[in-house]
Amino acid sequence: MGAFRELTVELLGRWPEPAPLDARVEERVDLADVVRERVTYAVEPGERVPAYLFVPTDVQPNERRPAIFAHHQHAGQFHLGKSEVAGLAGNPEQAYALELARRGYVVLAPDAICFEERGPYHGALDTPLGPEAGRDFERFEFTRRLLYGSCSQTKMLWDMQRGLDYLQSRPEVEADRLGCIGHSLGGQQTLFLAALDERVRAAVSSCGFASMTSILRDGINHNFGAYVPGWLEHGDVGELLAEVAPRAFLALNGATDRIFPVDGVEESFETARRAYDAAGCPECLDLGIYPGGHGFADGMRERAYAWLERWLGR
């Protein structure tokens, strides 16, 4: 474990208690080219996470495929989570879990804490309580964890790692070919997971991070998971990205993204690139800056999928 990764784990504070996965498949829907399963699994004693798992229908008996963890965005839309990346609701350009499954991958798309079934809307794909209910719920989850010596990022990472455990438990999955992808909040979480869990062989972050120094400079507020207590006393996002080396990491960002300053993205890459060069694998780190703002347009997703295919196969 690298020095900054070890330090980050320490700063993340108290981690949740483990529990057996006790995974259950609760529904199967045949979509012709893929099967969508609604599954749940335990992340802590007494707490289960709902997720969609996509399995291509052409997977043969005893065949194992690479698998991808697909993390949804934030967008202040707490009523949406797994359903958006699954193509069931929300913005069609966010349906990357379904699109990747149709390219041959096994894909897991869970709800993050505070979203969809794990938030105040309890799975309603609209906002009957108003958006402030989600914001208040997220703030409460953050502050109560601080009081117990933890933070939101700790919880989110823990739940993602349990998702990797679940993928590795599936008979269709080749356990040593795991990837991660996400936009916005999902891109942030992709970075944290790839940096702290070496099971992630290839990752794509879309509009997911910039240096925290640049974010503070520009007075930008972010989701509560972005803040690790004491972090900036020791390093920044560039040092975290450096911990992914020598594994494959692609970041995509809009040139005019108002919540992730492009100079803060480039600064982070300058730091990380030194680590990739030292590891002798500069080709494993890449950055794409696209015209426009905070989105995951068709061309960006095509590049993302090509990156995952390059490093994970199909």
Side-chain angles (χ1 to χ4, degrees):
M1 181 181 290
F4 193 73
R5 186 191 313 174
E6 188 173 351
L7 175 66
T8 298
V9 170
E10 181 179 343
L11 292 174
L12 286 167
R14 179 181 176 183
W15 289 78
E17 293 295 322
L21 274 174
D22 186 26
R24 305 168 193 168
V25 177
E26 300 180 352
E27 178 187 59
R28 286 187 176 91
V29 178
D30 190 338
L31 303 177
D33 49 353
V34 299
V35 172
R36 185 186 69 229
E37 297 181 352
R38 186 189 183 281
V39 303
T40 63
Y41 49 87
V43 291
E44 296 185 56
E47 182 181 4
R48 301 183 65 80
V49 164
Y52 287 124
L53 183 83
F54 292 92
V55 180
T57 53
D58 63 353
V59 175
Q60 300 300 307
N62 301 318
E63 181 187 4
R64 292 180 179 268
R65 296 280 181 93
I68 296 172
F69 188 111
H71 198 298
H72 58 79
Q73 67 169 340
H74 190 296
Q77 298 174 329
F78 296 94
H79 59 294
L80 294 177
K82 65 184 182 304
S83 292
E84 187 164 47
V85 291
L88 293 171
N91 187 345
E93 79 170 18
Q94 296 295 315
Y96 40 87
L98 178 60
E99 290 180 346
L100 281 163
R102 286 179 165 156
R103 288 171 175 256
Y105 298 98
V106 178
V107 184
L108 180 69
D111 286 333
I113 187 73
C114 301
F115 289 86
E116 203 166 310
E117 293 184 61
R118 302 181 71 195
Y121 308 113
H122 304 297
L125 299 181
D126 53 27
T127 54
L129 303 179
E132 66 279 357
R135 292 194 298 268
D136 290 346
F137 190 79
E138 183 186 39
R139 182 177 182 274
F140 176 78
E141 287 294 316
F142 171 69
T143 52
R144 83 177 176 90
R145 284 183 168 80
L146 283 182
L147 292 171
Y148 286 101
S150 187
C151 65
S152 291
Q153 184 57 242
T154 315
K155 172 59 174 168
M156 295 162 75
L157 266 171
W158 176 266
D159 289 354
M160 293 181 78
Q161 290 181 308
R162 295 300 280 155
L164 294 186
D165 293 342
Y166 176 65
L167 281 173
Q168 290 185 316
S169 77
R170 293 285 304 212
E172 309 91 342
V173 170
E174 188 168 341
D176 63 353
R177 286 203 290 165
L178 300 181
C180 190
I181 189 172
H183 173 74
S184 195
L185 171 66
Q188 169 188 291
Q189 291 310 116
T190 293
L191 170 60
F192 271 94
L193 184 66
L196 270 64
D197 197 317
E198 293 185 351
R199 289 179 293 178
V200 177
R201 278 184 49 180
V204 178
S205 171
S206 167
C207 300
F209 61 87
S211 68
M212 295 304 294
T213 305
S214 69
I215 287 168
L216 294 178
R217 177 200 68 201
D218 291 357
I220 300 168
N221 286 314
H222 269 287
N223 70 87
F224 288 113
Y227 306 103
V228 177
W231 212 30
L232 287 184
E233 295 181 11
H234 307 279
D236 205 325
V237 168
E239 283 77 14
L240 185 67
L241 180 55
E243 291 291 347
V244 184
R247 290 165 291 123
F249 194 96
L250 168 68
L252 307 170
N253 213 77
T256 56
D257 192 325
R258 291 184 294 177
I259 64 173
F260 291 114
V262 70
D263 66 325
V265 179
E266 293 169 338
E267 173 191 353
S268 301
F269 263 76
E270 288 174 11
T271 300
R273 197 166 296 286
R274 293 193 288 271
Y276 275 83
D277 289 344
C281 56
E283 72 282 0
C284 294
L285 181 68
D286 202 5
L287 170 63
I289 304 297
Y290 285 75
H294 192 72
F296 201 9
D298 292 352
M300 298 170 77
R301 296 201 310 284
E302 285 299 320
R303 182 168 175 180
Y305 303 158
W307 180 263
L308 292 170
E309 184 174 352
R310 174 182 178 185
W311 297 106
L312 295 177
R314 266 203 290 193

